[in-house]
Amino acid sequence: MSSSFLPNTSLQVTPDHHIKLVDAPVNSPGKGEVLLQIKATGVCGSDIHFWKTGRIGELIFHGDCIIGHEAAGVVLKCGEGVSHPKPGDRVAVEPGVPCHNCFLCDDGRYNLCADVQFAGVYPYAGTIQRYKVHPARWLHKLPEKISFAEGALLEPLSVAMRGIEIAQLQLGRSVVVCGAGPIGLITAAAARASGAHPIAITDLDESRLNFAREFLPSALPYKIDTTLDAQGNAKAIRALFGEGEYQAPDRVLECTGVESSVCTAAYTARRGGVVVVIGVGKAFMNNLPFMHLSLAEIDLKFINRYRDTWPPAIACLDGGLLNLKPLVSHRFPLEQAKDALELCADPKRPSIKVLIVDEVDATLNSQ
């Protein structure tokens, strides 16, 4: 495209587990597409996972790929046939583009499409770059009161909303959220907004639990005791809710994907309860308490991303039902994107949600 564009600085992961800043090409939007300037991208645990291991399950990095998928930006140019959004519109990016042709897409379950083109998953370029082409159909206009930073948080909020939908939360029903990272904190806040009560939140990290106490004062924090096994920690978590099987938590939302945490979740839910695994874990788990789940008729459920969540998620933020602004602990300019990932990957440097932002006004350079 025109040389009037600024360099398209991008953060790429390599198959040999390196990250690098590269000037990527600026592509022209095709039919049904728009060209965006990405203004904010949140760093996700999956980005770190792809960097460090090169894969998540069957999703494997076979080559260099721009990462990032929690994003919001501004429309610079529209391709053929695009009447909405328009240049200058502020939008949130729904990163998964399904095939629209398979039986799952036809059934409305597009999050399960096997041929989805998901931003930041090899070979599909992600959002940690200045300019990105994306189908207009998968962009959602932001109300004026929602910032680009909050727009980027709509993606993890969508993950939480999908987990809550699968768990079928009800007013006054007890919930445990395993993990006080960004997804766990957003899930706990969304569960509270959905009417769940009481809510406990667990983590190994005292600093994250301290943050959870401030972010959601009504939550019951529990620090996982590494000297106890899954059953021991589950017993202690249950005690937060009172005595007796009926007082045990009805729903458990597991947001870490760590095997020991999934096992703890299985023992924490009351008989006949539901455990929803939201977190991303290793390909195989060998120690799940199968017969406990079976004999107690505990439903073990899973989610794969989300579907139809952006409009209600936007409504939640626009209407003040949720305030996710306090989650943003760090901001890095696009040119320091490597530093952002290195911070997120370092357990000795506490962070909650790290954003990579591009505050340069590239609009005029697109003319």
Side-chain angles (χ1 to χ4, degrees):
M1 289 187 70
S2 169
S3 60
S4 63
F5 280 85
L6 297 173
N8 188 19
T9 305
S10 69
L11 182 68
Q12 302 186 10
V13 163
T14 69
D16 56 350
H17 314 304
H18 291 91
I19 50 176
K20 60 182 181 179
L21 281 178
V22 177
D23 286 346
V26 181
N27 298 315
S28 297
K31 184 177 181 180
E33 296 178 331
V34 304
L35 176 66
L36 301 169
Q37 181 188 0
I38 301 297
K39 301 296 287 185
T41 294
V43 179
C44 176
S46 64
D47 298 321
I48 306 300
H49 209 81
F50 280 133
W51 166 28
K52 295 293 186 180
T53 69
R55 67 184 301 163
I56 294 177
E58 298 175 353
L59 306 176
I60 304 172
F61 273 50
H62 294 293
D64 297 356
C65 185
I66 300 170
I67 58 171
H69 58 275
E70 303 177 359
V74 61
V75 176
L76 299 182
K77 185 177 181 180
C78 296
E80 179 187 348
V82 176
S83 58
H84 177 80
K86 300 181 185 305
D89 282 349
R90 302 163 61 257
V91 295
V93 179
E94 185 168 352
V97 181
C99 74
H100 307 298
N101 295 315
C102 68
F103 76 97
L104 291 163
C105 287
D106 288 344
D107 198 35
R109 295 183 291 168
Y110 66 84
N111 62 308
L112 299 179
C113 174
D115 294 321
V116 64
Q117 298 180 15
F118 198 88
V121 177
Y122 181 87
Y124 307 109
T127 60
I128 305 181
Q129 56 178 323
R130 175 161 287 125
Y131 302 109
K132 176 173 171 53
V133 167
H134 200 74
R137 178 174 177 176
W138 301 104
L139 298 172
H140 303 272
K141 189 172 180 179
L142 292 173
E144 284 302 316
K145 67 189 295 185
I146 296 181
S147 66
F148 288 121
E150 292 172 286
L153 289 170
L154 290 168
E155 197 277 345
L157 175 55
S158 289
V159 172
M161 291 174 69
R162 180 62 180 162
I164 286 171
E165 180 184 17
I166 293 296
Q168 297 181 315
L169 295 192
Q170 298 178 14
L171 285 168
R173 292 291 189 179
S174 54
V175 174
V176 173
V177 176
C178 301
I183 291 293
L185 291 164
I186 293 174
T187 298
R192 187 70 190 94
S194 300
H197 184 77
I199 299 172
I201 186 165
T202 73
D203 206 281
L204 285 165
D205 189 330
E206 186 65 41
S207 66
R208 289 199 164 187
L209 290 176
N210 287 335
F211 181 88
R213 289 182 178 95
E214 297 179 7
F215 181 65
L216 196 66
S218 61
L220 305 170
Y222 175 79
K223 185 177 181 181
I224 295 295
D225 187 341
T226 56
T227 67
L228 298 177
D229 60 10
Q231 288 172 287
N233 276 298
K235 183 178 180 180
I237 296 167
R238 279 176 165 232
L240 298 174
F241 294 85
E243 299 295 329
E245 179 68 30
Y246 181 75
Q247 297 299 320
D250 187 52
R251 298 287 191 269
V252 181
L253 304 173
E254 206 297 309
C255 297
T256 73
V258 176
E259 182 173 339
S260 59
S261 183
V262 176
C263 292
T264 298
Y267 286 115
T268 299
R270 75 184 188 190
R271 296 174 71 84
V274 175
V275 174
V276 179
V277 179
I278 297 173
V280 173
K282 58 185 182 181
F284 296 95
M285 295 187 182
N286 301 316
N287 297 306
L288 291 181
F290 174 78
M291 282 312 302
H292 170 76
L293 292 164
S294 176
L295 294 173
E297 287 194 2
I298 294 171
D299 287 341
L300 181 61
K301 298 185 176 184
F302 304 86
I303 70 163
N304 181 23
R305 298 175 179 145
Y306 30 69
R307 61 174 184 256
D308 304 319
T309 51
W310 256 258
I314 289 171
C316 285
L317 298 190
D318 193 40
L321 188 61
L322 290 171
N323 177 19
L324 303 183
K325 295 177 185 177
L327 293 174
V328 179
S329 59
H330 297 79
R331 297 171 187 258
F332 288 82
L334 178 60
E335 291 75 15
Q336 296 177 19
K338 287 179 63 176
D339 296 335
L341 253 69
E342 288 166 355
L343 171 65
C344 289
D346 187 350
K348 296 180 181 179
R349 301 163 65 194
S351 64
I352 301 296
K353 175 53 69 176
V354 176
L355 291 186
I356 296 168
V357 300
D358 188 17
E359 296 181 345
V360 174
D361 183 1
T363 304
L364 295 178
N365 293 278
S366 66
Q367 303 305 312

